[in-house]
Each structure stands twice: as C-alpha cells, then as structure tokens.
Amino acid sequence: MAAARSPPPPSDLAAPEPAPQPAPQAAPPDGAGGAARPQVPRSAWLRLALLLVILAAAAGSLLLWSPTTLLDGGLSAGTPWHIRVPLFVAVYAVATTAFFPRPALNAAAGLLLGVREGTVLAVLGTAIGAALAFWLCRRLGREALRPYLRGRLLLALDRRFSEQGFRSVFLLRLLPGLPFQAGNVGAAFSGVRFLPFVVATALGAAPLTAVYVTAAATAREPGSAGFLLSAGAIVLLGLVSLVSAVRGVLRRRRAAMG
C-alpha cells in the first residue's frame, strides 16, 4: 500500500498577529507648572502692538494739549448748543481714552455748563469714551492676551463678568477710587457684551459724576446746600473707597495664610 500522504497545510490559517506597538508618548507640556503654552497667531500679537501704540500716542498727546484748557477756550455761555454739545462730548470721550483724569473733566463740566447740562454731557462723554476704549481693546488686544488669563482670582472675575456682565460693570462704576480706564480694559478682555457694558457704565458712573459736577458748579458759593452736600458726598465716597481697599488687602492676607 502507498504511504499516506500528510495533509497539506490549511490555507485558511490566520497569520500571526503583529506584536503590539507602544503608544506614542505625548510631548511634555511647555511653560511653568506643566501648563500648555497658549498658541496665539502672529496677527493677534500685531494687533496688540497696534493697540499699545494707539494708547501710548493718545496718552502722550496730552503733553501737547489740555482737554480742560480746550473746553475753557471753546465753550462759553453764548456758544450755540449744536456746537457746545458735540465739542464737549468729543473732548471728554477722547480725553478719557487718553487716560486724562475724569474728576478734572467733571469739574470743567460743572464750571462751564452748570449742574444739569454738565452732568448729562459728562455722563454721555463717559459712556462714549468707555465704549471707544472697550472697542479698541477687544478688537486689537483680547485675542492675544485672553489665553493667558490664569489664576483663581482672574478666572473667577472673568466668569463673573461673563455671566453677570451688566451687574458687575454697574457695581464697578459705582465704587469710587477704582481707575476708570482699568475697568474699560478689564471688561474688554472678559466675556461681557458691548451694549450691557456701555449702559451699565453710564448708569453706574452717573451718581459720582453728578457729585463732582455739582461741587464744581457751586464752588463759588461754598456755603450753599449744593456745595456742602457734594463736598460731603466726596468725602464719604473717599472713606468708602479707603475702607474697601483695606478690607480687600486683609481678605487677601487671610486667604494667603490659609
């Protein structure tokens, strides 16, 4: 008998599985504390540089002109309202964007325009100046700097401004002693929307603006009720600002100590 032939190897046997490859390891994060470095396009940095140039030029221009002197020379009792109103509002708005102190502008409004018209136009100039600064900072600087918004305090403030924009801006403008321009920049880098920011700025800044305008308008009558009330309000607001600052410092020290 013929020897039995061994069966051919089955053709449907599966090929041996390849050995598992180790998963690629992620590159170590950049930056201190293991945080990934934000990726910001070059165009955002260029816009930020343009913003800094604009703000520096605006602040430097105050060496060449004085808003209060310009208003004093361009406004008088006989100036028509259609010239007086836009001139004052434009100078006020540009001056606030150039970091000129608002109390001086409010005093000029009281001396030149009186209590009613001075207060209305000063509040209008405040709102327009804040809107201009907000628009510039958001359009030119927010994209470059917002990715670097870190820290528990900054993130909490950003969340509050994003969720309660109108209320936060309104309370910010009510508090005396806080830099007006810093509030514009901080709000622009947060998530607050444009219209609530402008309306809250106008409403929140109105009481303090009226106090300064009234004090200047009634300065020629130091014994009048208007002057005494406005002067007392200024002193009271200054004390409130001082107490708030001291409480903030003590609160941060207690938080740092655990």
Side-chain angles (χ1 to χ4, degrees), residues 11-12 20 34 69 81 97 112-113 115 137 168 174 181 204 214 219 251 256:
S11 59
D12 58 346
T69 302
W81 69 268
T97 307
L112 298 172
L113 304 174
V115 176
C137 292
S168 300
L174 279 177
Q181 291 81 2
T214 303
R251 191 182 302 113

Side-chain angles (χ1 to χ4, degrees), residues 102 106 115 118-120 122-123 205-217 226 230:
R102 287 181 59 247
N106 295 333
V115 176
T119 300
V120 172
V123 170
L208 191 59
T209 300
V211 167
Y212 280 104
V213 171
T214 303
S230 57

Side-chain angles (χ1 to χ4, degrees), residues 120-251:
V120 172
L121 295 187
V123 170
L124 183 58
T126 296
I128 295 177
L132 177 60
F134 182 93
W135 183 84
L136 285 173
C137 292
R138 175 156 291 188
R139 293 287 296 178
L140 300 178
R142 186 172 185 260
E143 184 181 359
L145 295 183
R146 186 170 172 80
Y148 292 91
L149 185 64
R150 298 175 181 176
R152 183 180 303 177
L153 177 60
L154 291 178
L155 291 176
L157 289 175
D158 177 67
R159 188 183 311 112
R160 180 179 180 87
F161 273 80
S162 301
E163 297 174 356
Q164 304 178 19
F166 180 90
R167 182 172 181 269
S168 300
V169 174
F170 180 78
L171 294 177
L172 179 68
R173 299 309 192 190
L174 279 177
L175 294 176
L178 296 179
F180 180 77
Q181 291 81 2
N184 298 335
V185 176
F189 290 157
S190 71
V192 64
R193 292 178 298 170
F194 178 77
L195 185 58
F197 167 80
V198 175
V199 176
T201 294
L203 296 178
L208 191 59
T209 300
V211 167
Y212 280 104
V213 171
T214 303
T218 57
R220 297 184 181 91
E221 303 174 357
S224 63
F227 179 81
L228 294 177
L229 288 175
S230 57
I234 292 174
V235 173
L236 178 60
L237 291 173
L239 292 177
V240 171
S241 178
L242 179 61
V243 171
S244 300
V246 172
R247 291 182 60 184
V249 172
L250 295 178
R251 191 182 302 113

Side-chain angles (χ1 to χ4, degrees), residues 93-111:
V94 173
T96 56
T97 307
F99 305 98
F100 194 83
R102 287 181 59 247
L105 294 171
N106 295 333
L111 290 173

